[in-house]
């Protein structure tokens, strides 16, 4: 008991500046040994979605009650699931194969009733894109593009598609005001981990060169450096990412870091020796950061951005 109290006191005192500090660190011990990773938090971080290797299966864990619900065990169901803003619904996809062809269906899951509703059935090349500016989710397939309100997960029935960004044929395409802007600051190449913020910023990684933020309000491109699996936090003011190191075959070290969007200041949120922390996720209110380690531990940090 004494050791536990000391750890909590140490964690609560961690701080790198007046801007960012870790208030608490919680391990979801009931998830140890279950082989779950890639956490996705709801708006306030009270619930977390997880999956297994190759995104097989989707599992909902309630942090307060320590109860886990199996939503799906289908292939692909753990790839980028999304909570509704009020946390009552989840949108996710399920994959099925016909020969070498993969077809995906978009499923809505109601947490309270456990009811599943198929919203898009068996389409090719399904991907999700968030539009923080309009608080919506865009689901794009080979032949269908639909947008859903993040507040209630209702389909937005209009001709205009909310602003979002995606990668297509080695080009970042920015859909804005019903126009498509092709963005290639470093020419054709592998642009990954693309996302936008509510205040008109674009976050992306260019393979072999690093991670960058373009502030379209000032048309300024900022360099974060090596920042893998980066995501925006605090309405685009910060970027949370993993700083992983590998020997060409496997990752042997990784911490979860946060940087100001302009890359001027960087903080290490975890700074551990033994744990290899991967793929951070930020809650909708930017007060929680979740991640999993390579040996199957799942943590949630309570973070203050001031």
């Amino acid at each position: 008991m004494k050791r536990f109290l000391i750890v909590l006191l140490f964690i609560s005192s961690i701080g790198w500046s007046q801007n960012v500090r870790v208030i608490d660190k919680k391990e979801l011990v009931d998830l140890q040994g279950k082989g779950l990773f890639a956490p996705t938090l709801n708006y306030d971080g009270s619930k977390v979605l997880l999956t297994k290797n190759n995104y097989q299966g989707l599992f909902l864990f309630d942090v307060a009650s320590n109860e886990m619900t199996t939503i799906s065990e289908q292939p692909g169901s753990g790839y980028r699931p999304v909570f509704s803003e009020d946390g009552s619904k989840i949108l996710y996809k399920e994959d099925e194969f016909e020969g070498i062809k993969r077809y995906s269906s978009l499923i809505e899951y109601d947490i309270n009733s456990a009811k599943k509703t198929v919203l898009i059935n068996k389409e090719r090349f399904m991907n999700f894109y968030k539009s923080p500016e309009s608080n919506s989710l865009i689901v794009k397939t080979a032949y269908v593009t639909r947008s859903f309100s993040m507040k209630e997960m209702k389909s937005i029935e209009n001709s205009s598609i909310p602003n979002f960004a995606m990668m297509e044929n080695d080009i970042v395409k920015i859909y804005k005001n019903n126009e498509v802007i092709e963005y290639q600051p470093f020419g054709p190449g592998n642009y990954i981990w693309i996302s936008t913020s509510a205040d008109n910023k674009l976050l992306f990684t260019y393979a072999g060169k690093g991670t960058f933020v373009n502030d379209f309000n000032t048309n300024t491109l900022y360099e974060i450096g090596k920042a893998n699996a980066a995501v925006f936090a605090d309405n685009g003011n910060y970027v949370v990412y993993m700083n992983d190191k590998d020997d060409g075959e496997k990752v042997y070290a990784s911490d979860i870091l946060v940087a100001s969007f302009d890359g001027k200041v960087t903080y290490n949120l975890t700074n551990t020796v033994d744990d290899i922390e991967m793929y951070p996720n930020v809650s909708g209110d930017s007060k929680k950061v979740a991640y999993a380690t390579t040996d199957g531990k799942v943590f949630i940090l309570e973070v203050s951005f001031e």
Side-chain angles (χ1 to χ4, degrees), residues 10 23 42-43 51 57 59 65 81 87 109 122 135 148 167 174 220 230 234 246 252 257 279 284:
F10 173 72
I23 300 171
N42 67 343
Y43 182 80
T51 188
F59 308 90
S65 66
Y109 178 81
K122 292 185 66 174
N135 195 28
F148 297 84
M167 175 67 180
I174 303 170
T220 305
D234 193 38
D246 64 78
Y252 62 84
L257 276 66
Y279 297 103

PDB file of all heavy atoms in Angstrom, residues 10 23 42-43 51 57 59 65 81 87 109 122 135 148 167 174 220 230 234 246 252 257 279 284:
ATOM      1  N   PHE A  10       4.029  10.604  -6.927  1.00  0.00           N
ATOM      2  CA  PHE A  10       5.027  10.923  -7.941  1.00  0.00           C
ATOM      3  C   PHE A  10       4.373  11.320  -9.240  1.00  0.00           C
ATOM      4  O   PHE A  10       4.730  12.315  -9.861  1.00  0.00           O
ATOM      5  CB  PHE A  10       5.949   9.723  -8.161  1.00  0.00           C
ATOM      6  CG  PHE A  10       6.896   9.915  -9.309  1.00  0.00           C
ATOM      7  CD1 PHE A  10       7.962  10.799  -9.223  1.00  0.00           C
ATOM      8  CD2 PHE A  10       6.703   9.226 -10.503  1.00  0.00           C
ATOM      9  CE1 PHE A  10       8.818  10.976 -10.296  1.00  0.00           C
ATOM     10  CE2 PHE A  10       7.556   9.407 -11.562  1.00  0.00           C
ATOM     11  CZ  PHE A  10       8.621  10.277 -11.459  1.00  0.00           C
ATOM     12  N   ILE A  23      -1.503  14.426 -14.621  1.00  0.00           N
ATOM     13  CA  ILE A  23      -2.123  14.467 -13.306  1.00  0.00           C
ATOM     14  C   ILE A  23      -2.210  13.072 -12.700  1.00  0.00           C
ATOM     15  O   ILE A  23      -2.018  12.884 -11.502  1.00  0.00           O
ATOM     16  CB  ILE A  23      -3.531  15.103 -13.400  1.00  0.00           C
ATOM     17  CG1 ILE A  23      -3.431  16.530 -13.949  1.00  0.00           C
ATOM     18  CG2 ILE A  23      -4.228  15.097 -12.052  1.00  0.00           C
ATOM     19  CD1 ILE A  23      -4.760  17.148 -14.278  1.00  0.00           C
ATOM     20  N   ASN A  42     -13.719   7.379 -25.551  1.00  0.00           N
ATOM     21  CA  ASN A  42     -14.897   8.202 -25.799  1.00  0.00           C
ATOM     22  C   ASN A  42     -14.603   9.636 -25.374  1.00  0.00           C
ATOM     23  O   ASN A  42     -13.470   9.980 -25.040  1.00  0.00           O
ATOM     24  CB  ASN A  42     -16.121   7.625 -25.091  1.00  0.00           C
ATOM     25  CG  ASN A  42     -16.020   7.700 -23.573  1.00  0.00           C
ATOM     26  OD1 ASN A  42     -14.931   7.888 -23.022  1.00  0.00           O
ATOM     27  ND2 ASN A  42     -17.128   7.538 -22.887  1.00  0.00           N
ATOM     28  N   TYR A  43     -15.619  10.491 -25.362  1.00  0.00           N
ATOM     29  CA  TYR A  43     -15.387  11.924 -25.183  1.00  0.00           C
ATOM     30  C   TYR A  43     -14.689  12.246 -23.867  1.00  0.00           C
ATOM     31  O   TYR A  43     -13.755  13.054 -23.823  1.00  0.00           O
ATOM     32  CB  TYR A  43     -16.704  12.704 -25.269  1.00  0.00           C
ATOM     33  CG  TYR A  43     -16.526  14.197 -25.138  1.00  0.00           C
ATOM     34  CD1 TYR A  43     -16.100  14.963 -26.225  1.00  0.00           C
ATOM     35  CD2 TYR A  43     -16.745  14.843 -23.916  1.00  0.00           C
ATOM     36  CE1 TYR A  43     -15.909  16.337 -26.103  1.00  0.00           C
ATOM     37  CE2 TYR A  43     -16.556  16.210 -23.789  1.00  0.00           C
ATOM     38  CZ  TYR A  43     -16.139  16.951 -24.886  1.00  0.00           C
ATOM     39  OH  TYR A  43     -15.944  18.312 -24.752  1.00  0.00           O
ATOM     40  N   THR A  51      -8.868  -3.610 -29.689  1.00  0.00           N
ATOM     41  CA  THR A  51      -8.917  -4.666 -30.689  1.00  0.00           C
ATOM     42  C   THR A  51      -7.728  -5.603 -30.499  1.00  0.00           C
ATOM     43  O   THR A  51      -6.891  -5.388 -29.628  1.00  0.00           O
ATOM     44  CB  THR A  51      -8.937  -4.072 -32.107  1.00  0.00           C
ATOM     45  OG1 THR A  51      -9.175  -5.104 -33.061  1.00  0.00           O
ATOM     46  CG2 THR A  51      -7.609  -3.389 -32.429  1.00  0.00           C
ATOM     47  N   GLY A  57     -11.668  -8.118 -34.261  1.00  0.00           N
ATOM     48  CA  GLY A  57     -12.544  -7.963 -33.108  1.00  0.00           C
ATOM     49  C   GLY A  57     -12.579  -6.546 -32.561  1.00  0.00           C
ATOM     50  O   GLY A  57     -11.645  -5.758 -32.745  1.00  0.00           O
ATOM     51  N   PHE A  59     -13.816  -4.547 -28.863  1.00  0.00           N
ATOM     52  CA  PHE A  59     -14.188  -4.788 -27.483  1.00  0.00           C
ATOM     53  C   PHE A  59     -14.326  -3.460 -26.748  1.00  0.00           C
ATOM     54  O   PHE A  59     -13.480  -2.571 -26.877  1.00  0.00           O
ATOM     55  CB  PHE A  59     -13.135  -5.667 -26.802  1.00  0.00           C
ATOM     56  CG  PHE A  59     -12.844  -6.930 -27.566  1.00  0.00           C
ATOM     57  CD1 PHE A  59     -11.840  -6.942 -28.534  1.00  0.00           C
ATOM     58  CD2 PHE A  59     -13.579  -8.077 -27.352  1.00  0.00           C
ATOM     59  CE1 PHE A  59     -11.573  -8.095 -29.256  1.00  0.00           C
ATOM     60  CE2 PHE A  59     -13.317  -9.231 -28.071  1.00  0.00           C
ATOM     61  CZ  PHE A  59     -12.312  -9.243 -29.027  1.00  0.00           C
ATOM     62  N   SER A  65     -16.501   0.506 -14.131  1.00  0.00           N
ATOM     63  CA  SER A  65     -17.030  -0.790 -13.675  1.00  0.00           C
ATOM     64  C   SER A  65     -16.094  -1.960 -13.961  1.00  0.00           C
ATOM     65  O   SER A  65     -16.314  -3.071 -13.474  1.00  0.00           O
ATOM     66  CB  SER A  65     -18.379  -1.057 -14.338  1.00  0.00           C
ATOM     67  OG  SER A  65     -18.224  -1.238 -15.742  1.00  0.00           O
ATOM     68  N   PRO A  81     -12.543   2.510 -35.056  1.00  0.00           N
ATOM     69  CA  PRO A  81     -13.940   2.702 -34.644  1.00  0.00           C
ATOM     70  C   PRO A  81     -14.129   4.105 -34.075  1.00  0.00           C
ATOM     71  O   PRO A  81     -13.171   4.750 -33.634  1.00  0.00           O
ATOM     72  CB  PRO A  81     -14.137   1.632 -33.572  1.00  0.00           C
ATOM     73  CG  PRO A  81     -12.773   1.459 -32.989  1.00  0.00           C
ATOM     74  CD  PRO A  81     -11.812   1.612 -34.146  1.00  0.00           C
ATOM     75  N   GLY A  87     -21.436   9.382 -26.545  1.00  0.00           N
ATOM     76  CA  GLY A  87     -20.946   8.097 -26.082  1.00  0.00           C
ATOM     77  C   GLY A  87     -21.949   6.970 -26.107  1.00  0.00           C
ATOM     78  O   GLY A  87     -21.662   5.863 -25.632  1.00  0.00           O
ATOM     79  N   TYR A 109     -23.545   0.507 -33.563  1.00  0.00           N
ATOM     80  CA  TYR A 109     -23.799  -0.269 -32.352  1.00  0.00           C
ATOM     81  C   TYR A 109     -24.322   0.656 -31.264  1.00  0.00           C
ATOM     82  O   TYR A 109     -23.676   1.654 -30.924  1.00  0.00           O
ATOM     83  CB  TYR A 109     -22.518  -0.954 -31.882  1.00  0.00           C
ATOM     84  CG  TYR A 109     -22.664  -1.738 -30.598  1.00  0.00           C
ATOM     85  CD1 TYR A 109     -23.195  -3.019 -30.594  1.00  0.00           C
ATOM     86  CD2 TYR A 109     -22.262  -1.193 -29.376  1.00  0.00           C
ATOM     87  CE1 TYR A 109     -23.327  -3.743 -29.413  1.00  0.00           C
ATOM     88  CE2 TYR A 109     -22.386  -1.907 -28.196  1.00  0.00           C
ATOM     89  CZ  TYR A 109     -22.920  -3.181 -28.222  1.00  0.00           C
ATOM     90  OH  TYR A 109     -23.051  -3.895 -27.044  1.00  0.00           O
ATOM     91  N   LYS A 122     -21.580  -4.009 -47.538  1.00  0.00           N
ATOM     92  CA  LYS A 122     -20.659  -4.656 -48.471  1.00  0.00           C
ATOM     93  C   LYS A 122     -20.175  -3.729 -49.589  1.00  0.00           C
ATOM     94  O   LYS A 122     -20.556  -3.874 -50.740  1.00  0.00           O
ATOM     95  CB  LYS A 122     -21.283  -5.914 -49.050  1.00  0.00           C
ATOM     96  CG  LYS A 122     -21.480  -7.034 -48.039  1.00  0.00           C
ATOM     97  CD  LYS A 122     -21.988  -8.321 -48.687  1.00  0.00           C
ATOM     98  CE  LYS A 122     -20.916  -8.890 -49.619  1.00  0.00           C
ATOM     99  NZ  LYS A 122     -21.316 -10.215 -50.160  1.00  0.00           N
ATOM    100  N   ASN A 135     -17.666  18.703 -36.923  1.00  0.00           N
ATOM    101  CA  ASN A 135     -18.030  17.667 -35.960  1.00  0.00           C
ATOM    102  C   ASN A 135     -18.778  16.525 -36.639  1.00  0.00           C
ATOM    103  O   ASN A 135     -19.870  16.125 -36.232  1.00  0.00           O
ATOM    104  CB  ASN A 135     -18.880  18.247 -34.821  1.00  0.00           C
ATOM    105  CG  ASN A 135     -18.955  17.301 -33.637  1.00  0.00           C
ATOM    106  OD1 ASN A 135     -18.045  16.515 -33.403  1.00  0.00           O
ATOM    107  ND2 ASN A 135     -20.032  17.374 -32.884  1.00  0.00           N
ATOM    108  N   PHE A 148     -21.756  11.627 -41.367  1.00  0.00           N
ATOM    109  CA  PHE A 148     -22.598  11.380 -40.201  1.00  0.00           C
ATOM    110  C   PHE A 148     -22.272  12.400 -39.123  1.00  0.00           C
ATOM    111  O   PHE A 148     -21.107  12.717 -38.879  1.00  0.00           O
ATOM    112  CB  PHE A 148     -22.359   9.971 -39.650  1.00  0.00           C
ATOM    113  CG  PHE A 148     -22.728   8.868 -40.600  1.00  0.00           C
ATOM    114  CD1 PHE A 148     -21.828   8.454 -41.574  1.00  0.00           C
ATOM    115  CD2 PHE A 148     -23.970   8.251 -40.529  1.00  0.00           C
ATOM    116  CE1 PHE A 148     -22.155   7.440 -42.455  1.00  0.00           C
ATOM    117  CE2 PHE A 148     -24.305   7.239 -41.406  1.00  0.00           C
ATOM    118  CZ  PHE A 148     -23.408   6.829 -42.363  1.00  0.00           C
ATOM    119  N   MET A 167      -5.677  10.708 -48.039  1.00  0.00           N
ATOM    120  CA  MET A 167      -4.570  10.367 -48.934  1.00  0.00           C
ATOM    121  C   MET A 167      -5.113   9.566 -50.109  1.00  0.00           C
ATOM    122  O   MET A 167      -5.884   8.626 -49.930  1.00  0.00           O
ATOM    123  CB  MET A 167      -3.537   9.532 -48.168  1.00  0.00           C
ATOM    124  CG  MET A 167      -2.392   9.025 -49.018  1.00  0.00           C
ATOM    125  SD  MET A 167      -1.331  10.345 -49.601  1.00  0.00           S
ATOM    126  CE  MET A 167      -0.136   9.395 -50.537  1.00  0.00           C
ATOM    127  N   ILE A 174      -7.506  17.613 -49.915  1.00  0.00           N
ATOM    128  CA  ILE A 174      -8.251  18.360 -48.910  1.00  0.00           C
ATOM    129  C   ILE A 174      -9.591  18.761 -49.514  1.00  0.00           C
ATOM    130  O   ILE A 174      -9.646  19.505 -50.500  1.00  0.00           O
ATOM    131  CB  ILE A 174      -7.469  19.599 -48.452  1.00  0.00           C
ATOM    132  CG1 ILE A 174      -6.094  19.186 -47.904  1.00  0.00           C
ATOM    133  CG2 ILE A 174      -8.256  20.373 -47.400  1.00  0.00           C
ATOM    134  CD1 ILE A 174      -5.166  20.350 -47.665  1.00  0.00           C
ATOM    135  N   THR A 220       1.539  28.507 -42.946  1.00  0.00           N
ATOM    136  CA  THR A 220       2.859  28.197 -42.407  1.00  0.00           C
ATOM    137  C   THR A 220       2.982  26.708 -42.169  1.00  0.00           C
ATOM    138  O   THR A 220       2.088  26.084 -41.587  1.00  0.00           O
ATOM    139  CB  THR A 220       3.101  28.946 -41.087  1.00  0.00           C
ATOM    140  OG1 THR A 220       2.909  30.347 -41.300  1.00  0.00           O
ATOM    141  CG2 THR A 220       4.515  28.698 -40.581  1.00  0.00           C
ATOM    142  N   ALA A 230       0.788  10.236 -35.041  1.00  0.00           N
ATOM    143  CA  ALA A 230       0.473  11.511 -34.397  1.00  0.00           C
ATOM    144  C   ALA A 230      -1.008  11.853 -34.505  1.00  0.00           C
ATOM    145  O   ALA A 230      -1.652  11.587 -35.521  1.00  0.00           O
ATOM    146  CB  ALA A 230       1.307  12.626 -35.027  1.00  0.00           C
ATOM    147  N   ASP A 234      -6.212  19.117 -27.779  1.00  0.00           N
ATOM    148  CA  ASP A 234      -6.501  20.485 -27.334  1.00  0.00           C
ATOM    149  C   ASP A 234      -6.805  21.405 -28.516  1.00  0.00           C
ATOM    150  O   ASP A 234      -6.224  22.477 -28.669  1.00  0.00           O
ATOM    151  CB  ASP A 234      -5.334  21.031 -26.516  1.00  0.00           C
ATOM    152  CG  ASP A 234      -5.678  22.308 -25.765  1.00  0.00           C
ATOM    153  OD1 ASP A 234      -6.808  22.394 -25.269  1.00  0.00           O
ATOM    154  OD2 ASP A 234      -4.825  23.219 -25.693  1.00  0.00           O
ATOM    155  N   ASP A 246      13.443   1.284 -33.593  1.00  0.00           N
ATOM    156  CA  ASP A 246      13.504  -0.119 -33.991  1.00  0.00           C
ATOM    157  C   ASP A 246      14.884  -0.449 -34.552  1.00  0.00           C
ATOM    158  O   ASP A 246      15.662   0.445 -34.888  1.00  0.00           O
ATOM    159  CB  ASP A 246      12.412  -0.446 -35.009  1.00  0.00           C
ATOM    160  CG  ASP A 246      12.592   0.309 -36.318  1.00  0.00           C
ATOM    161  OD1 ASP A 246      13.455  -0.095 -37.135  1.00  0.00           O
ATOM    162  OD2 ASP A 246      11.882   1.313 -36.533  1.00  0.00           O
ATOM    163  N   TYR A 252      12.189  -1.658 -30.176  1.00  0.00           N
ATOM    164  CA  TYR A 252      12.815  -1.982 -28.894  1.00  0.00           C
ATOM    165  C   TYR A 252      12.614  -0.874 -27.853  1.00  0.00           C
ATOM    166  O   TYR A 252      12.929  -1.058 -26.670  1.00  0.00           O
ATOM    167  CB  TYR A 252      14.309  -2.267 -29.069  1.00  0.00           C
ATOM    168  CG  TYR A 252      15.133  -1.116 -29.586  1.00  0.00           C
ATOM    169  CD1 TYR A 252      15.629  -0.139 -28.725  1.00  0.00           C
ATOM    170  CD2 TYR A 252      15.440  -1.011 -30.941  1.00  0.00           C
ATOM    171  CE1 TYR A 252      16.385   0.908 -29.193  1.00  0.00           C
ATOM    172  CE2 TYR A 252      16.207   0.042 -31.414  1.00  0.00           C
ATOM    173  CZ  TYR A 252      16.677   0.994 -30.537  1.00  0.00           C
ATOM    174  OH  TYR A 252      17.431   2.043 -31.000  1.00  0.00           O
ATOM    175  N   LEU A 257       4.871  11.050 -26.509  1.00  0.00           N
ATOM    176  CA  LEU A 257       5.281  12.441 -26.359  1.00  0.00           C
ATOM    177  C   LEU A 257       4.172  13.382 -26.803  1.00  0.00           C
ATOM    178  O   LEU A 257       3.243  12.980 -27.522  1.00  0.00           O
ATOM    179  CB  LEU A 257       6.543  12.722 -27.182  1.00  0.00           C
ATOM    180  CG  LEU A 257       7.900  12.361 -26.539  1.00  0.00           C
ATOM    181  CD1 LEU A 257       8.042  10.858 -26.364  1.00  0.00           C
ATOM    182  CD2 LEU A 257       9.049  12.905 -27.379  1.00  0.00           C
ATOM    183  N   TYR A 279       0.959   3.866 -30.169  1.00  0.00           N
ATOM    184  CA  TYR A 279      -0.309   4.315 -30.735  1.00  0.00           C
ATOM    185  C   TYR A 279      -1.225   5.024 -29.731  1.00  0.00           C
ATOM    186  O   TYR A 279      -2.227   4.480 -29.272  1.00  0.00           O
ATOM    187  CB  TYR A 279      -1.041   3.133 -31.391  1.00  0.00           C
ATOM    188  CG  TYR A 279      -0.265   2.558 -32.543  1.00  0.00           C
ATOM    189  CD1 TYR A 279       0.451   1.370 -32.404  1.00  0.00           C
ATOM    190  CD2 TYR A 279      -0.199   3.225 -33.764  1.00  0.00           C
ATOM    191  CE1 TYR A 279       1.203   0.846 -33.453  1.00  0.00           C
ATOM    192  CE2 TYR A 279       0.542   2.718 -34.826  1.00  0.00           C
ATOM    193  CZ  TYR A 279       1.240   1.533 -34.659  1.00  0.00           C
ATOM    194  OH  TYR A 279       1.976   1.024 -35.695  1.00  0.00           O
ATOM    195  N   GLY A 284     -12.067  13.017 -26.492  1.00  0.00           N
ATOM    196  CA  GLY A 284     -12.650  14.179 -27.156  1.00  0.00           C
ATOM    197  C   GLY A 284     -12.471  15.474 -26.395  1.00  0.00           C
ATOM    198  O   GLY A 284     -12.354  16.547 -27.001  1.00  0.00           O
TER     199      GLY A 284
END
